[in-house]
Each structure stands twice: as C-alpha cells, then as structure tokens.
Amino acid sequence: GDLVLAAPAILLALLLTLVLSHFLPLLLNPKAPRGSFGWPLVGETLRFLTPHASNTLGSFLEDHCSRYGRVFKSHLFCTPTVVSCDQELNHFILQNEERLFQCSYPRPIHGILGKSSMLVVLGEDHKRLRNLALALVTSTKLKPSYLGDIERIALHIVGSWHGKGGNITFCEEARKFAFSVIVKQVLGLSPEEPVTAMILEDFLTFMKGLISFPLRIPGTPYAKAVQARERISSTVKGIIEERRKADCCKRDDFLNVLLSTDELSDEEKVSFVLDSLLGGYETTSLMISMVVYFLGQSAQDLDLVKREHQGIRSTKAKEECLSSEDYKKMEYTQHVINEALRCGNIVKFVHRKALKDVRYKEYLIPSGWKVLPVFSAVHLNPSLHGNAQQFQPCRWE
C-alpha cells in the first residue's frame, strides 16, 4: 500500500528533476545567445534533424535565424547548444580546435565507431592519428598506379551499364565506384574479389546504423551496425594477418605502409581502415551524384565541362591514362565541383564542445556547452553569395 502511495510522488520527483535539469542551464547562463530550449529530454533535436532540400536552410534554421539572429542557443542531442550560422564565428571555432573547443560527437556514435576512431579520440591521440592519416594519404597519392587505378575502376563501372537496358540508379553506381576505389587503395582489394562484396554489405549496414536512433535492441539498425562493425573489424584483422604471413611478397599499398608503422596498436590500425572507408565513401559518392544532378539541370555547364574534357582527351593516345597534369587543366570542372559542394552541403555541420567560457564579439559560449558551426548557412548566405540558391559554377572563376 505504501508503495502505491509513493509511486506518484517518485514519478513527480523524477519529472521535476527532468524539467529542472533541462532548464537549469538557461538560468545559470543568462548571457548566452538568445534562443529556445524546446521540450525536456528531446529539446529541439527532432525539428533540427527534419530532412530538407540541400540547397535550402530548412525551416528550423530559417525560423531561428529570423527570430534570434545568426547565432542562437538551443537544446540539441540532449545537451545545451550554441548554433552558429555566422561565417566568422565558424572560422573562429575551427581555428581554435583543442584550445577553446573540442570534437564532441554524441555518445551513441562512439558505440558504433569504436574507442580508437579518429572521430572519437581527443587531444594528443587525435593529433597523432591525424598526422599519420595525412602522411598515409600523401604517400598513396604519390604512387604511380594511383590515378590509373581510379580510371580503370571508373571505366569498369561505366562499362557495366551497357547490359542494363536503359535505366541505372546513378547514386548507387557512384557508391559502388567510391567504395571500389577506397577498398583498392586501402586494402589492395579489387571490386571482383568476394571479400570486397562482403565488406560492402557490412559497411552499408554500418552506415545505416550510424544515422539511426541509438537503440541497442536486437534487430534495430543501431544494434545491426554495432554487429556489422565487429564483422568488418574481424575481416580487416584477417587481411592484416594474411599480409603478415606473406611478408616475402610485400605490396606497394596503404595497408603495407600502415602495417610497417609501430605508432599504432592493431586495434587502432583496424579503426584507421574503418575511418578511411567512412571518411571517403559517403562524402565522395554523394559529391559525384550532386555534380551529375546539377549538371543534368544545366545544359550550358554540362557543355562547358564536356568541351574541357574532350580538349584534354584529344591530346592523349587511345588507351593512355590521364595524368595529374591533365587533371590540373580541368579548371571549369573544379568550379563545378566547388559549386556542387556549396549547393550540395554534404557535411552540413560538425559537433564541437566549449572547453571553457568563450567570449567572441558580443556572444558568450558557456563552458561545457555543445557548439554546432553550420556550414550550409554560410554557403547559402545571400550576402556572401549572390543568387545563393542557384547553381552557378562561374562564380568561382
């Protein structure tokens, strides 16, 4: 009987604690930028994540910017947040990495990426991994076979369209291309090898879980992603072991350079491979799809790109691969890529956290608060880019 009487009191206490913990940061930080916190627990996260066209800001940012200005406070991803749509503040945040701000992705992402991922580790460990990543990428790009490999994979995928009788889903083909290039460069695997298809299947499950609701219950996309990561991890470990056994016939690729370094543990090496797949796969394939999408709507730009490419091709022998010098001549193509990045907004924002109270101009960012520099808001700002929602590659000339 006492328990029955106590239950409503316990429930009320929990409810009050929830409401108080949600709104307390508002009371303790009256000098934070203007804004709203939404409902306890969920805050304004669901509205912030509502899908919208990539060359628009979406109703959440449009509404908040018009109401509170280009820098405002909100409650996102279960934490008090300052959202910046201001070019100068975004630049300031990124320039002060590890001094005033730190990478801070939501906790559930750590469960999928693993504790050694470059997106999760902080401070000196992050710096060490990033420097190593730059060295490895540079050494890969300097390989004589690098550009030839990419061209052969592109021709192989385009060649496979002939028997498909008309329609293809281009974004799927772009994904296939990006994945084949990365797997070839990182693990030395060709698209035809069975293990490549196995890694791709697990990787797609992994990607779905990365952007799903973080519920670790069997059968949910999140739980499936955690299992897929474990499978990819054991596949990569198997490839590493095979390489070590076949020490006599060393291959000239990224994995060999990775294996020859003593700076990383085996777990870090596996995470490094996963980070490489994650960092290059979705962004590269989306980028290629965006370029095709925008060129499909602009006959004039498509014609200029075609003429540029035909001009370069006319100087080459029939089976001759393109060189790095040929790519450097593709000036208008580069303008198209820049403009597709601006309009496509593939990476809309990044997660950071204030390490101390930060004053910038008239704004105070309280210590411990999440900070989201929103790149798309800068890309689509009409005062920085005339006709901001229009695809106009010539603006980069």
Side-chain angles (χ1 to χ4, degrees):
D2 289 347
L3 253 175
V4 173
L5 288 170
I10 293 167
L11 205 61
L12 188 65
L14 281 171
L15 206 61
L16 281 170
T17 307
L18 194 66
V19 171
L20 195 63
S21 66
H22 181 79
F23 291 110
L24 194 61
L26 279 178
L27 304 171
L28 297 176
N29 298 282
K31 291 185 178 173
R34 295 187 309 136
S36 56
F37 263 30
W39 293 95
L41 212 61
V42 290
E44 300 188 299
T45 310
L46 298 177
R47 273 195 68 204
F48 178 72
L49 293 176
T50 302
H52 57 87
S54 71
N55 62 344
T56 67
L57 276 184
S59 60
F60 177 84
L61 287 178
E62 279 172 4
D63 170 53
H64 280 60
C65 285
S66 66
R67 210 187 286 186
Y68 306 117
R70 298 193 73 79
V71 178
F72 58 87
K73 68 176 169 237
S74 180
H75 203 283
L76 302 171
F77 306 101
C78 302
T79 182
T81 304
V82 170
V83 179
S84 168
C85 296
D86 179 83
Q87 185 184 27
E88 289 179 12
L89 179 53
N90 286 2
H91 190 256
F92 177 77
I93 293 163
L94 298 177
Q95 288 296 306
N96 284 283
E97 188 95 5
E98 292 299 336
R99 286 189 292 276
L100 302 175
F101 303 96
Q102 200 171 55
C103 193
S104 172
Y105 282 84
R107 181 69 48 194
I109 286 181
H110 296 206
I112 297 183
L113 295 176
K115 63 181 190 299
S116 302
S117 169
M118 223 185 309
L119 281 176
V120 171
V121 296
L122 302 167
E124 287 305 311
D125 282 340
H126 179 81
K127 208 175 283 181
R128 177 172 60 90
L129 285 175
R130 191 172 59 189
N131 289 341
L132 202 62
L134 287 169
L136 281 165
V137 168
T138 306
S139 69
T140 303
K141 285 169 84 172
L142 288 173
K143 277 189 336 191
S145 60
Y146 174 67
L147 291 175
D149 285 342
I150 293 173
E151 191 166 332
R152 274 187 290 278
I153 291 167
L155 292 171
H156 170 78
I157 285 174
V158 173
S160 73
W161 299 346
H162 294 308
K164 292 194 175 174
N167 288 344
I168 58 149
T169 308
F170 185 79
C171 61
E172 290 304 321
E173 299 298 310
R175 283 195 176 122
K176 220 181 285 175
F177 166 72
F179 191 81
S180 299
V181 168
I182 294 164
V183 167
K184 174 71 181 165
Q185 297 305 324
V186 176
L187 296 171
L189 299 171
S190 63
E192 302 81 40
E193 292 182 58
V195 71
T196 306
M198 197 168 77
I199 295 172
L200 178 58
E201 193 182 331
D202 281 334
F203 190 70
L204 291 175
T205 308
F206 172 79
M207 286 301 297
K208 274 181 194 159
L210 199 59
I211 53 166
S212 69
F213 194 75
L215 213 58
R216 199 165 178 177
I217 296 170
T220 60
Y222 184 81
K224 285 179 181 173
V226 174
Q227 290 168 337
R229 191 209 182 275
E230 285 164 9
R231 286 196 299 273
I232 297 169
S233 182
S234 68
T235 304
V236 172
K237 278 177 184 164
I239 294 166
I240 287 173
E241 282 311 309
E242 275 177 38
R243 282 291 182 94
R244 283 192 175 133
K245 284 174 191 165
D247 201 38
C248 53
C249 49
K250 285 200 166 183
R251 296 197 215 176
D252 175 29
D253 63 14
F254 184 96
L255 188 60
N256 246 36
V257 181
L258 192 59
L259 287 177
S260 64
T261 179
D262 299 325
E263 287 184 55
L264 298 177
S265 67
D266 272 9
E267 191 51 51
E268 283 178 323
K269 285 172 184 174
V270 171
S271 265
F272 209 92
V273 170
L274 262 173
D275 283 346
S276 306
L277 295 174
L278 181 67
Y281 168 75
E282 191 74 9
T283 48
T284 307
S285 59
L286 268 174
M287 176 70 234
I288 296 165
S289 301
M290 286 287 185
V291 166
V292 169
Y293 170 78
F294 287 122
L295 285 179
Q297 297 185 332
S298 174
Q300 184 188 352
D301 291 312
L302 178 60
D303 187 54
L304 286 166
V305 169
K306 268 185 180 173
R307 272 194 271 170
E308 183 170 79
H309 289 196
Q310 282 161 355
I312 294 164
R313 189 77 259 178
S314 66
T315 65
K316 314 289 287 182
K318 194 175 180 222
E319 297 292 320
E320 192 183 350
C321 280
L322 294 168
S323 68
S324 57
E325 291 309 308
D326 295 322
Y327 284 103
K328 283 174 192 169
K329 290 175 193 166
M330 297 179 187
E331 288 180 15
Y332 199 75
T333 306
Q334 188 59 57
H335 299 330
V336 166
I337 292 168
N338 290 343
E339 186 66 348
L341 279 170
R342 188 190 69 79
C343 292
N345 290 300
I346 292 159
V347 179
K348 183 179 167 182
F349 62 92
V350 290
H351 293 259
R352 295 293 180 266
K353 181 175 83 174
L355 294 173
K356 54 179 92 168
D357 281 355
V358 179
R359 288 194 174 279
Y360 182 81
K361 293 187 176 173
E362 71 269 32
Y363 308 116
L364 170 74
I365 301 170
S367 176
W369 280 36
K370 185 180 275 293
V371 186
L372 298 184
V374 181
F375 307 137
S376 56
V378 176
H379 296 161
L380 301 171
N381 185 343
S383 65
L384 297 171
H385 308 282
N387 299 321
Q389 291 188 338
Q390 300 299 311
F391 181 76
Q392 295 176 346
C394 57
R395 73 171 84 238
W396 297 94
E397 282 173 359

